[in-house]
Amino acid sequence: MGNGVPFRPFRDSELAVLDRALNDPGVMGQYAWTGWSGSASSLRQRWEANRLLSPEISMLAVVAEDTAVGAVTWRPVAYNAVSQCWNIGAYLLPEARGRGVMATAGRALVEYLFAHTQAHRVEAHVEVGNKAARLCAERAGMAFEGTARGAAWRGGGWRDIEVLAVLRGDAPPAPAAD
């Protein structure tokens, strides 16, 4: 993991972890599966071109004992012509859940983005009812800001999304019992 950071770039041999997430509804779970998008077919091309790190969206492997068990992502969100923040997301393989890995990765990703970018704000969008994702966002230091009604399409209907965010100047989150 290096320096205690629970993520790193995906290795060629680990692209199967991403392919599994994109092609198995059970991996993403009831709140994140949005259907087959065809993005698995371009995954190798994106990895070969930029190792899944780009200005549009970046993705790193979440690792446990140096094995990829999921991914964290970040992408810019513009609020006006001169203001943007990072929107982060994550998933874990089902067999890696429930051990505090995601809470640790979420905290580390927020710290990484504040340390290595000029961002003032990092936010997460969590579907209403996704208690595990909401708890991970809160453990990363994010505060609930409100609900975006009917903001995301999934499973044949529009879903409400909770917006959580942390600002650069906010107090760091207290260590959580993962």
Side-chain angles (χ1 to χ4, degrees), residues 18-37:
L18 293 174
D19 188 56
R20 183 176 164 203
L22 294 170
N23 288 296
D24 181 349
V27 171
M28 295 304 282
Q30 73 177 28
Y31 294 106
W33 176 252
T34 57
W36 285 278
S37 64

Side-chain angles (χ1 to χ4, degrees), residues 48-107:
E48 289 174 354
N50 60 24
R51 297 301 189 254
L52 304 175
L53 298 168
S54 75
E56 295 82 28
I57 186 166
S58 293
M59 182 182 300
L60 293 170
V62 173
V63 293
E65 299 174 12
D66 205 34
T67 300
V69 295
V72 291
T73 65
W74 65 97
R75 62 182 175 84
V77 174
Y79 277 92
N80 64 26
V82 296
S83 304
Q84 75 175 27
C85 73
W86 294 114
N87 179 279
I88 64 173
Y91 82 89
L92 281 181
L93 296 175
E95 58 269 21
R97 295 177 188 154
R99 296 184 281 169
V101 174
M102 190 52 65
T104 300
R107 283 192 303 271

